[in-house]
Amino acid sequence: MAEETAAPEDFRFDSESEVRIGKILAKYPEGRQASAALPLLDLAQRQIARTGGAGWLPRAAMDAVAERLGMPPMRVYEVASFYTMLNKKPVGKYHLQVCTTTPCWLRGSDEIAEAIRRKTGLKGWGETTPDGMFTLDHVECLGACVNAPVLAINDDYFEDLDAEATEKLLEALKRGEVPPHGSVKGRNAEPVAPTSQKAE
Amino acid sequence: MAKVTVDGITVEVPDGSNVLQAAEAAGIEIPRFCYHERLSVAGNCRMCLVEIEKAPPKPFSSCSYPVADGMVVHTDTPMVRAARRGVMEFLLINHPLDCPICDQGGECDLQDQAMGYGGDASRFHEAKRARSDIDFGPLVRGVMTRCIQCTRCVRFAAEIAGVPEMGAYGRGEDTKIGTYVQKALTSELSGNLIDICPVGALTSRPYAFVARSWELNKTDSVDVLDAVGAAIRVDSRGPEVLRVLPRVNEDVNEEWLADKSRFSVDGLKRRRLDSCWVRREGRLEKATWPEAFEAIAAKLSGLAGERIGAVAGNLADAESMYALKALLASLGSANLDCRQDWAGGDVSRRDYYTFNTSIAGIEEADALLIVGANPRHEAPLINARIRKRWLRGGFPVAVVGAARDLTYPAETIGDGPEALRALLGGEGFAATLKAAKKPMIIVGQSALARTDGAAILAACWNLAAETGMLTPEWHGFNVLQTAAARVGALDLGFLPGPGGKGMAEMLGGGVDVMWLLGADEFNTAMIGASTFVVYQGSHGDRGAARADVILPGAAYTEKNGTYVNTEGRVQRGQLAVYPPGEAREDWKVLRAFSAYLEKPLPFDTLEALRGKMEAEYPTFARRDILPRFGCPDATAPAAAVEMGVRPFGEWFATYYQTDPISRASPTMAECVTAHAPVAAQAAE
């Protein structure tokens, strides 16, 4: 059973989403509308984030997607529950997703997680701060290993982090600032130091 | 066709077959969990690994690998054995190995195959994953820790049952099988999940902790709780029937069984009539057989034959109906009827009252009209066959009657005789039927069991004739019977004879003695107050409550009996346990009573009775096999009435309680409660 804390009873796509739905459905051939399950679930989650703050998928939203696509609701639950990017319970305003896959872990993802815990008081994965600001989660490879370690906050990547940079980032978020995403060291995909395989 | 060599045995299999099927053709058994020949291929358990020559040097899952001509397959090489052992080890990592307390123990695929491929000790020292149990309703018990995620149940629910309520959600190690939202499965076929589950994750709730498979006596028989005549196996221990399972009969039930047929067995132990009862001064009192016979004989003495009548119930076997008919004939009575529901219609020809296309024949049809029937409730297995045909595509279905979810899309084109008139005028769906090569019509009891039933039967027949359903090669006209005894009774002519009274005339004092052979499906208050009622049957139901003398009979698991299903297929049920207490097989009761009257019926054994019955009614001589036939003579059934306008209603108030056995079953009562809200919603 999915946890459903204060789940809304009803979900309806708003006019802004409807415009997007038209464009999404147009991508798939007639009779293959079920292919749009994933983009529509994402859209529903974003609509909830846009209108209510915490981007997540209550069952009502999954049912709405099923109804729209003419799928049995169970098939939509299967898709939604498979993808970790679709949140089955409410998350904070900032969803902190620490990459803990090997390259990030080697480059210090434990430190990042520790810094977040220190700064927010969160303990386990999946927890949300009482003020609803932060949810801490770990995720598998975000595909940005070159600038490891990486922290994804909602849709933005923050790269080349260390404990200090992470704390600064969280402070900025708490102040309501919008810190620039990307590498905190200003790097693009380039080596940390002039390399020579034999050096060091 | 492709030539495939499996372990040195060369077989030819159709193109598009998979390697597993080729191996089966060669007689080689491949272990499997997720593969099931009647479900789509998932290929996720990995147990069926084999080695294929000239293919990449790795094991292939044989269920999902198509054959190619000249393929050489090995199923017993060191690589295959090592691979299967590896798969088994992974499957067992999270399996609780609680076989001693698992109901599947002794008949478990995982247990059996672990004997072949399991290690003797576990190398897994970490904590096992556990799952909370799932409530699937009153019939199926979900112990999900035992689940190996083969997804057979998910595919069964979506494909065969047509209720896509189960799924695999979550991912990786956290994958769970379930309904996601807590609810009872809304299928009449849910019991089959228990059979297809290869482990003990889905087991029977009523049968939980009742018995071990090796303690049971297994008796092959035939189901009587609907008119489909599914092949069943009755499992009993001592005097008790503990469970009923389906047997394979490709022509009838394939390998499925409807829930009522499977789970009503606890009704066989309750409300049973286990001794004779005689009403004395308004109260039923226990009696001996001679006392009961004496009470009836006293009432019969000096009574004219025309004042005696008999009604055959819905679960009666052909032998007892034959004996009862003979008994009444010896008393000079032709007052017989088997149509407690007053179903009208001409029954002078067999194809006016049977399912002529045959159940397997549904798969050949290419358009279907359902009139006044809800096959989902009246014959769930026939409904499953219709759905199977529909899944293949190109099968338009229309319904005249109430709109309902049949598990396949069906266009509702009217709710009563008006729609039939329109169709006869060539409107709408009639064109679809005409365009089809093998169209078929199914006429249900809610269209026939009414005062204008005969006219509706004739109208449906005429529609069939007009739309090309009746040709010498194809018989597309079908009556869906709901009572297991009905076709047999009609074949035996258990109907008013010359000058005899039917159901309607016998009620309200039309006869002085009325013999009810398990007849419970009519309003017994309509029997005349002065009529002396003899109830011969197995359960203390409506008929017994009205009776003046009760003769305890045998239920279908307690007698050798012949039943004719809605197709007209003659099948035999077998005695699995003896009737309780003083109860006796029904034909024996009738034979004994005839002897008491000193007018002994001319048979002393069941074989002698059957010999006479088959000589008189040759349809009973051809058992089990039912040749397909066309309709060389399209003469319509006679109808003396006109079609009315009243819409067709629902035949059964609830699927789960339709006869004395299912009404006595606590499990069925639980199902009624569990599904009541759903039914209430549907009624709105």
Side-chain angles (χ1 to χ4, degrees):
Chain A
M1 283 296 291
E3 281 182 51
E4 287 174 50
T5 34
E9 296 278 305
D10 200 30
F11 175 87
R12 212 167 284 184
F13 285 110
D14 59 18
S15 53
E16 196 180 329
S17 296
E18 286 294 345
V19 176
R20 291 278 306 136
I21 290 175
K23 286 180 186 160
I24 292 167
L25 288 183
K27 293 179 192 167
Y28 303 100
E30 190 60 40
R32 302 274 184 217
Q33 271 67 27
S35 305
L38 209 42
L40 254 61
L41 285 167
D42 180 57
L43 187 66
Q45 178 164 307
R46 283 172 196 283
Q47 178 182 317
I48 289 173
R50 197 173 67 224
T51 53
W56 73 292
L57 276 174
R59 214 183 87 214
M62 299 189 225
D63 288 341
V65 171
E67 199 190 331
R68 173 59 63 97
L69 300 177
M71 298 166 74
M74 189 66 224
R75 299 282 93 84
V76 177
Y77 305 153
E78 284 179 321
V79 172
S81 61
F82 185 87
Y83 289 95
T84 54
M85 305 81 172
L86 300 170
N87 303 313
K88 268 68 69 183
K89 52 184 183 177
V91 293
K93 188 177 177 193
Y94 298 106
H95 191 197
L96 312 175
Q97 303 153 77
V98 185
C99 174
T100 53
T101 308
T102 318
C104 281
W105 174 64
L106 287 170
R107 298 283 296 155
S109 64
D110 286 351
E111 251 178 75
I112 314 288
E114 204 38 55
I116 294 173
R117 292 201 173 99
R118 213 164 40 236
K119 206 71 200 162
T120 60
L122 292 170
K123 292 202 168 62
W125 303 116
E127 284 179 17
T128 304
T129 52
D131 60 0
M133 278 291 273
F134 299 108
T135 298
L136 174 60
D137 257 324
H138 65 125
V139 295
E140 298 306 325
C141 186
L142 290 168
C145 316
V146 67
N147 283 355
V150 182
L151 169 66
I153 302 180
N154 296 348
D155 288 335
D156 295 329
Y157 282 15
F158 296 85
E159 300 154 16
D160 281 333
L161 290 172
D162 53 26
E164 197 190 339
T166 307
E167 287 185 15
K168 274 188 191 156
L169 190 60
L170 295 181
E171 277 160 20
L173 291 172
K174 276 185 181 169
R175 289 193 300 269
E177 290 169 18
V178 185
H181 56 83
S183 166
V184 292
K185 293 182 184 159
R187 289 193 308 144
N188 283 323
E190 58 198 22
V192 179
T195 51
S196 143
Q197 290 291 333
K198 329 180 249 194
E200 292 136 45
Chain B
M1 299 294 275
K3 225 178 225 157
V4 183
T5 307
V6 186
D7 290 350
I9 303 165
T10 305
V11 288
E12 273 203 53
V13 290
D15 293 323
S17 305
N18 56 46
V19 174
L20 193 149
Q21 285 166 330
E24 294 214 317
I28 289 156
E29 199 180 331
I30 304 236
R32 85 289 299 265
F33 297 109
C34 72
Y35 176 78
H36 191 283
E37 57 270 26
R38 291 181 216 275
L39 302 174
S40 61
V41 173
N44 56 8
C45 77
R46 315 311 289 177
M47 195 63 204
C48 65
L49 297 170
V50 296
E51 194 174 344
I52 297 171
E53 270 184 27
K54 294 194 186 108
K58 60 160 196 155
F60 289 89
S61 74
S62 58
C63 74
S64 57
Y65 201 78
V67 294
D69 199 28
M71 187 181 266
V72 180
V73 180
H74 299 284
T75 70
D76 195 21
T77 62
M79 177 172 90
V80 168
R81 262 176 277 155
R84 288 183 188 166
R85 272 201 295 272
V87 169
M88 179 55 80
E89 186 169 12
F90 274 116
L91 287 173
L92 293 181
I93 276 182
N94 279 319
H95 191 76
L97 301 177
D98 57 348
C99 310
I101 56 151
C102 173
D103 269 319
Q104 194 85 353
E107 48 185 1
C108 174
D109 289 357
L110 187 62
Q111 202 178 29
D112 293 348
Q113 288 172 34
M115 292 296 151
Y117 300 98
D120 54 355
S122 176
R123 293 191 290 171
F124 185 71
H125 302 293
E126 290 75 10
K128 286 191 180 225
R129 177 214 64 189
R131 288 267 172 276
S132 43
D133 292 356
I134 300 182
D135 182 10
F136 286 109
L139 303 178
V140 181
R141 188 166 174 262
V143 186
M144 303 320 285
T145 302
R146 297 176 187 147
C147 176
I148 57 167
Q149 284 91 34
C150 71
T151 71
R152 272 189 189 178
C153 54
V154 175
R155 286 173 283 144
F156 177 85
E159 293 163 18
I160 310 284
V163 284
E165 294 168 359
M166 294 189 78
Y169 57 92
R171 65 192 289 183
E173 199 197 25
D174 294 322
T175 306
K176 296 182 183 77
I177 299 289
T179 48
Y180 199 74
V181 290
Q182 195 83 45
K183 63 182 195 175
L185 292 167
T186 57
S187 171
E188 295 73 30
L189 297 170
S190 62
N192 297 297
L193 294 171
I194 299 162
D195 292 342
I196 58 160
C197 180
V199 296
L202 302 178
T203 53
S204 168
R205 186 177 282 276
Y207 177 72
F209 310 128
V210 168
R212 285 302 194 184
S213 60
W214 57 85
E215 306 170 324
L216 302 172
N217 280 323
K218 300 164 179 81
T219 313
D220 288 355
S221 193
V222 39
D223 174 55
V224 302
L225 297 183
D226 56 29
V228 176
I232 55 169
R233 194 184 87 192
V234 180
D235 283 4
S236 57
R237 187 177 58 187
E240 261 186 309
V241 172
L242 295 180
R243 63 174 180 181
V244 164
L245 297 177
R247 277 185 298 134
V248 175
N249 185 344
E250 294 295 342
D251 291 334
V252 180
N253 56 318
E254 297 187 291
E255 64 183 82
W256 317 122
L257 191 60
D259 286 350
K260 185 168 47 183
S261 309
R262 184 191 296 262
F263 292 108
S264 291
V265 282
D266 49 357
L268 291 167
K269 287 183 292 201
R270 289 171 176 81
R271 291 199 213 161
R272 285 306 299 270
L273 300 171
D274 57 359
S275 74
C276 299
W277 297 77
V278 175
R279 196 177 290 275
R280 294 194 183 102
E281 286 154 21
R283 283 187 52 197
L284 282 168
E285 288 173 16
K286 251 188 192 176
T288 61
W289 279 106
E291 284 166 8
F293 280 177
E294 179 50 40
I296 308 168
K299 192 75 195 174
L300 286 175
S301 79
L303 207 59
E306 66 184 46
R307 301 301 296 167
I308 306 166
V311 179
N314 288 349
L315 307 181
D317 54 305
E319 287 85 351
S320 59
M321 289 188 286
Y322 177 79
L324 181 57
K325 189 181 177 186
L327 176 71
L328 260 80
S330 75
L331 297 171
S333 168
N335 303 333
L336 303 168
D337 213 337
C338 59
R339 298 170 303 189
Q340 303 171 69
D341 44 33
W342 310 56
D346 186 354
V347 288
S348 60
R349 239 170 72 180
R350 204 171 192 229
D351 56 353
Y352 291 163
Y353 59 84
T354 54
F355 200 95
N356 302 304
T357 303
S358 83
I359 297 170
I362 294 171
E363 293 185 37
E364 288 171 35
D366 53 3
L368 169 64
L369 175 67
I370 299 173
V371 179
N374 178 1
R376 187 168 172 186
H377 282 179
E378 292 164 29
L381 294 166
I382 290 182
N383 202 52
R385 206 58 96 112
I386 298 172
R387 180 178 156 78
K388 184 182 181 189
R389 171 65 193 86
W390 171 80
L391 274 176
R392 244 174 48 224
F395 192 57
V397 184
V399 173
V400 177
R404 31 177 111 79
D405 177 13
L406 292 172
T407 70
Y408 41 86
E411 182 196 351
T412 306
I413 54 170
D415 60 0
E418 284 308 320
L420 284 180
R421 283 197 193 100
L423 285 167
L424 279 166
E427 286 174 35
F429 198 73
T432 313
L433 291 173
K434 255 180 214 155
K437 284 196 185 72
K438 290 183 170 179
M440 63 183 284
I441 184 170
I442 296 177
V443 190
Q445 296 304 304
S446 38
L448 299 178
R450 40 193 269 158
T451 45
D452 58 350
I456 291 166
L457 181 73
C460 290
W461 181 279
N462 287 332
L463 180 65
E466 273 178 34
T467 51
M469 295 182 191
L470 308 175
T471 67
E473 292 79 38
W474 174 253
H475 204 317
F477 182 80
N478 301 287
V479 173
L480 182 62
Q481 300 286 357
T482 56
R486 185 63 52 85
V487 174
L490 294 170
D491 284 351
L492 288 168
F494 207 94
L495 294 161
K501 291 171 181 162
M503 191 71 194
E505 296 89 46
M506 281 191 264
L507 295 174
V511 288
D512 291 330
V513 173
M514 198 166 179
W515 193 297
L516 305 179
L517 181 64
D520 294 288
E521 311 306 323
F522 66 101
N523 183 2
T524 50
M526 292 171 80
I527 301 174
S530 61
T531 305
F532 186 85
V533 176
V534 179
Y535 181 82
Q536 179 187 357
S538 56
H539 282 71
D541 208 80
R542 297 166 193 162
R546 170 63 184 83
D548 294 291
V549 173
I550 293 173
L551 304 176
Y556 72 108
T557 49
E558 297 151 9
K559 59 185 167 191
N560 294 305
T562 304
Y563 302 91
V564 188
N565 80 350
T566 186
E567 300 170 287
R569 189 186 301 274
V570 179
Q571 302 185 106
R572 272 195 191 156
Q574 284 196 70
L575 179 145
V577 296
Y578 288 101
E582 292 294 301
R584 294 291 178 269
E585 289 183 50
D586 294 276
W587 78 269
K588 283 186 184 165
V589 173
L590 292 157
R591 171 67 181 75
F593 182 65
S594 73
Y596 192 87
L597 291 179
E598 292 174 359
K599 289 176 184 169
L601 294 171
F603 38 79
D604 295 331
T605 61
L606 188 63
E607 286 63 43
L609 188 161
R610 282 176 172 165
K612 284 203 164 304
M613 182 169 78
E614 283 165 18
E616 209 174 323
Y617 304 100
T619 47
F620 286 91
R622 190 184 54 217
R623 270 182 294 126
D624 300 327
I625 304 152
L626 186 72
R628 297 289 302 279
F629 49 85
C631 181
D633 175 12
T635 317
V641 287
E642 286 289 311
M643 271 204 290
V645 289
R646 199 158 49 87
F648 305 135
E650 196 72 48
W651 185 237
F652 290 137
T654 164
Y655 162 68
Y656 295 99
Q657 292 184 323
T658 58
D659 51 76
I661 298 174
S662 55
R663 276 193 293 269
S665 158
T667 307
M668 290 294 102
E670 256 186 81
C671 286
V672 173
T673 321
H675 293 283
V678 180
Q681 282 161 21
E684 275 165 24

